[in-house]
Amino acid sequence: MSQVLIESIEAIIVDLPTIRPHKLAMHTMQKQTLVVIRLRCSDGVEGLGESTTIGGLAYGNESPESIKQNIDSHLGPLLLGQDAANINAAMQRLDKAAKGNTFAKSGLESALLDAQGKRLGLPVSELLGGRVRDSLEVAWTLASGDTAKDIAEAEQMLEARRHRIFKLKIGAGEVNRDLKHVIAIKQALGDSASVRVDVNQAWDESVALRACRILGDNGIDLIEQPIARINRGGQIRLNQRSPAPIMADESIESVEDAFSLAADGAASIFALKIAKNGGPRAVLRTAQIAEAAGIALYGGTMLEGAIGTLASAHAFLTLRQLTWHTELFGPLLLTEEIVSEAPVYRDFHLQVPATPGLGLSLDEERLAFFRRP
């Protein structure tokens, strides 16, 4: 059997409208920008990948524009002519030649996995070790900032059986007002839903010590990244003192970060994000570190579209235990799709296809309409 080679790689920036603004502590998203990757092989198989950021450079070191430029100028050319079926060798080649760039690398690894799955007639989850579940429970972010509206939205989601886990983005506002808002929502929903918060590093340690105690004492299940990722000592102290578990998110920008956090005891939950680890295979290395250290897992998101969401989902399907479920609601935030088969959400879960590759194909007309010139 002759070797299958990578013939071309195209990175396409796509701007898609959202159902509402999505507010973080450091930025408010008015739309979502995806970098869609098309990797074509000598046997005619095409693999799809996606690299998506939240808020561009306001959040991290990569932007959609830098991702496309680095794939076009540096990462893509390194893969041309390489064995398309040897994903391990291809990704090691990228890691040796380029530091960081985990978002770009994640999209490329996803595309290689999608192509190989199509080539072998296997879903990506089987290439990653084998699924142990077929669907993933998905959280939803309540983001109006209006307590009554957020409660009504959560109740509608519960009634429709779409979500029963709710996360609130806080930290941009005055802390006491944020706490009052969150606690009122939890009191209204009671035991029918899990309520969690994401602070996106907005608090200092002195504020976080008090706020985490209040949140935990009022039934909030999880507190995500309350203080700056560089304050490792503060993270350790918070993790020891908070009555609600602390989840590391921005603190994990690589597999090596995950090892260091676990060794220091700086978090009791890890948010798994393929984009921040360098791909579906890489994020499973972080998961293995967490499991060995007794740290619980949560399937995180960069609010990817359908391609990136399913690339994450196929990896998460293989995990032995996903205690805190997932946040793979990115496609539900979009008003438009660029794939022919939109992801299916039913009975609080994302249903993950068992068809070859990621289980998606592009809608060429919609892609052409929304791609950036």
Side-chain angles (χ1 to χ4, degrees):
M1 183 175 179
S2 61
Q3 192 177 60
V4 178
L5 304 181
I6 300 169
E7 287 195 335
S8 69
I9 297 172
E10 183 181 15
I12 304 164
I13 296 181
V14 179
D15 295 304
L16 296 177
T18 56
I19 60 174
R20 54 165 165 76
H22 189 77
K23 189 174 184 180
L24 298 87
M26 80 294 288
H27 180 78
T28 299
M29 295 168 45
Q30 303 294 341
K31 62 181 180 181
Q32 183 57 302
T33 300
L34 322 177
V35 182
V36 175
I37 297 164
R38 308 184 76 163
L39 183 145
R40 297 179 178 91
C41 305
S42 59
D43 59 353
V45 173
E46 177 181 82
L48 300 177
E50 179 186 333
S51 300
T52 295
T53 69
I54 296 177
L57 294 176
Y59 181 92
N61 297 323
E62 294 175 76
S63 67
E65 295 79 12
S66 74
I67 290 167
K68 174 175 168 52
Q69 183 63 52
N70 284 335
I71 289 174
D72 289 349
S73 300
H74 303 288
L75 304 177
L78 286 168
L79 295 181
L80 297 182
Q82 300 300 305
D83 183 357
N86 192 337
I87 300 167
N88 187 47
M91 296 310 297
Q92 286 193 32
R93 182 178 177 85
L94 293 184
D95 287 338
K96 183 177 180 180
K99 304 299 182 187
N101 287 279
T102 58
F103 285 73
K105 290 175 181 176
S106 178
L108 289 165
E109 183 175 276
S110 298
L112 285 163
L113 286 164
D114 183 42
Q116 182 71 343
K118 291 172 179 173
R119 186 173 295 116
L120 299 177
L122 294 171
V124 165
S125 57
E126 305 316 293
L127 302 181
L128 297 174
R131 63 176 64 194
V132 295
R133 56 184 68 83
D134 291 314
S135 66
L136 298 161
E137 185 155 0
V138 178
W140 178 252
T141 295
L142 301 171
S144 77
D146 181 289
T147 303
K149 287 182 179 178
D150 281 352
I151 291 170
E153 183 177 345
E155 289 174 341
Q156 290 170 2
M157 295 289 186
L158 287 165
E159 177 67 23
R161 295 184 60 81
R162 210 179 82 172
H163 304 281
R164 57 187 172 189
I165 302 170
F166 300 102
K167 189 166 86 169
L168 291 105
K169 294 281 190 178
I170 61 175
E174 195 274 325
V175 62
N176 289 320
R177 186 168 63 249
D178 279 348
L179 296 178
K180 182 179 178 182
H181 174 61
V182 172
I183 292 167
I185 292 171
K186 175 57 183 175
Q187 289 175 342
L189 298 179
D191 294 334
S192 64
S194 172
V195 176
R196 307 160 180 191
V197 298
D198 183 2
V199 191
N200 287 126
Q201 310 183 80
W203 293 336
D204 62 34
E205 187 179 348
S206 66
V207 170
L209 282 168
R210 169 178 167 269
C212 289
R213 176 180 56 78
I214 293 171
L215 290 168
D217 289 346
N218 281 275
I220 302 309
D221 290 327
L222 178 158
I223 302 168
E224 182 175 349
Q225 200 70 49
I227 64 175
R229 67 177 302 275
I230 60 172
N231 185 0
R232 179 61 61 82
Q235 291 176 79
I236 295 168
R237 289 185 287 272
L238 275 178
N239 193 45
Q240 293 170 339
R241 300 179 188 180
S242 174
I246 301 296
M247 182 164 74
D249 178 17
E250 286 92 340
S251 293
I252 306 174
E253 292 190 344
S254 65
V255 176
E256 292 77 13
D257 281 341
F259 178 82
S260 178
L261 286 162
D264 289 345
S268 53
I269 307 169
F270 279 0
L272 301 174
K273 295 183 175 179
I274 64 171
K276 292 171 63 176
N277 287 262
R281 293 164 63 254
V283 87
L284 292 180
R285 294 198 291 274
T286 287
Q288 289 162 359
I289 289 168
E291 289 182 342
I295 295 169
L297 298 175
Y298 177 78
T301 182
M302 295 304 295
L303 298 182
E304 291 97 342
I307 299 169
T309 293
L310 285 183
S312 297
H314 277 279
F316 299 159
L317 290 181
T318 70
L319 295 171
R320 180 179 61 84
Q321 192 165 3
L322 202 55
T323 303
W324 294 88
H325 305 294
T326 79
E327 194 181 335
L328 298 179
F329 70 88
L332 296 173
L333 197 62
L334 304 174
T335 63
E336 301 286 348
E337 267 296 356
I338 56 167
V339 295
S340 301
E341 311 87 3
V344 176
Y345 293 84
R346 184 176 64 247
D347 291 330
F348 306 115
H349 286 67
L350 167 64
Q351 311 297 317
V352 185
T355 48
L358 294 175
L360 292 169
S361 61
L362 288 171
D363 182 322
E364 299 291 350
E365 185 176 335
R366 303 303 286 167
L367 177 67
F369 183 82
F370 287 107
R371 71 181 293 164
R372 191 179 294 180

